[in-house]
Each structure stands twice: as C-alpha cells, then as structure tokens.
Amino acid sequence: MLYVLISILSLLSALLHVAPTQAKSAPSTNGSPLDHSVKLYYWPPSKHLPSPLAQIRYNPAAQVSVVDKYSPPSPKSFSADDDVIRIGLYDPTTKSWSGTVTSSSGFKDGYQGAVRLHLDSKGEVWHVDYRAFPSKREADGQKGEQLEVETVSATPGPRPHLNVPVVLDPEGKLPEEVVEKPFWQKYWWIFLGVAVLALTGGGDK
C-alpha cells in the first residue's frame, strides 16, 4: 500500500514538472499564438550569398510579433563598395531573393532598424520593407529595442458588381442620364421678376 502511494505521488510530481514545459512551447502575445515565422537576410554587394539578419514570429490576425533573434552586421565588415545593403527574403533551395535596399550607414551605432512585413491572404510574408533611423532612447543613454516589426495584412481590392439588371426604356435603349440644372437655370423667372420690380420701382421715384 505504501509503495502504491509513493508511486502515485511520484507520478503527480512528474506531471507538475511537465505542464510548465509544455506551456512554454507555445508562446503568445496578448493571448494570441505566434503561429507564423519568417527569416530575414541581409546581402552586401561584395558578398556572394546573403547572411541571416533576424528570426521573427508573428500572428497575422492579431498583428503582433516577437523578434527571436537579431544579428545585424557590423559596419566594419562592409567593403568600400557596400554603400547599400539588400534586406529581404531568401530561399537557400531555389536561390530566389525578394526584398529591398537600405543604406549601410543605418547599421552604425546610434541607429535603430524597423522592418515592415507585407502579408498575403494566407498570412505569409511576400515582401519586406526596411528603414533605419536615429535611436532616441540610445541618445538619452537608454537601451531601446534593436528592431521594430510591423505587419501589414493584405486588403481585398474592389470587386465588380456582377449580375446587375440593366433597365431599358420602351424603345429598348439605355435611359439618358438626367443632368441636374444649376440653381440659376431652375429659378431664372424669380431673378427676372426681381429685376422688373427693381426697374419699375426705380422709375416711380
């Protein structure tokens, strides 16, 4: 009996230790699970292949994100020809690249990066924008976020109005659009009467 009780307590202790581990494996922000991820690369012109820049997880519906890893390049690693740096998406399998360009000076100390992820209808990243700006927090002696992330969801475009019935006149033609007359054409007779009264009253005096 004592052996069975000890076994039950051991089992309960093991479950209590496993539960927190499973909860940490599904991180969330504001209650929204980060079920999408993307890996960004930077590519100086002097290099043959791009290098990893950041690993980001995000939720397309809630538009929340977390930067898991950010490895900005050191300006010392750039050559004299690396005036601009490509930032974007890279597929090592197909060697396909999609992205934008930014000045290499944006990776100097005192600057902060901001990336905008453009999402398609499925929530996948199809394009990336990047910009660098002076970090106000670092100027004040505070350590700020190294990389800001913004997600932009796809918005559906205008759709044509299909199956709209066409109304024809008795002659089988489209009715002509009635152009509304201006104010003076509608009430010209009032202006004419006022003018006549003014002339008649002036003559009596």
Side-chain angles (χ1 to χ4, degrees), residues 11-26:
L11 180 61
L12 290 175
S13 178
L15 290 176
L16 290 175
H17 283 81
V18 170
T21 304
Q22 292 178 343
K24 291 181 180 179
S25 63

Side-chain angles (χ1 to χ4, degrees), residues 179-201:
V179 180
E180 186 177 359
K181 295 181 179 180
F183 180 82
W184 67 271
Q185 286 186 353
K186 285 183 178 181
Y187 305 101
W188 62 269
W189 52 274
I190 296 179
F191 295 109
L192 179 61
V194 172
V196 171
L197 291 175
L199 293 175
T200 303

Side-chain angles (χ1 to χ4, degrees), residues 37-78:
S37 64
V38 63
K39 191 174 186 179
L40 304 182
Y41 292 80
Y42 71 92
W43 196 348
S46 61
K47 304 297 182 182
H48 297 290
L49 292 174
S51 301
L53 176 66
Q55 183 75 31
I56 303 171
R57 287 175 298 144
Y58 62 94
N59 184 299
Q63 293 189 344
V64 293
S65 59
V66 170
V67 180
D68 288 331
K69 188 177 181 180
Y70 181 52
S71 304
S74 172
K76 296 180 180 179
S77 63
F78 299 149

Side-chain angles (χ1 to χ4, degrees), residues 64-122:
V64 293
S65 59
V66 170
V67 180
D68 288 331
K69 188 177 181 180
Y70 181 52
S71 304
S74 172
K76 296 180 180 179
S77 63
F78 299 149
S79 67
D81 298 330
D82 295 336
D83 294 333
V84 294
I85 307 297
R86 288 170 285 186
I87 306 292
L89 309 171
Y90 176 70
D91 189 342
T93 304
T94 61
K95 308 297 182 181
S96 62
W97 171 268
S98 174
T100 184
V101 295
T102 186
S103 174
S104 59
S105 60
F107 293 100
K108 295 180 179 179
D109 293 337
Y111 282 84
Q112 184 176 345
V115 63
R116 177 178 296 173
L117 307 178
H118 295 268
L119 311 180
D120 58 16
S121 58
K122 297 180 180 179

Side-chain angles (χ1 to χ4, degrees), residues 70 106 108 110-114 130-138 144-148:
Y70 181 52
K108 295 180 179 179
Y111 282 84
Q112 184 176 345
Y130 182 90
R131 66 184 181 90
F133 56 93
S135 177
K136 183 178 179 181
R137 293 179 60 88
E138 290 189 7
E145 295 292 336
Q146 292 181 312
L147 183 66
E148 293 183 358

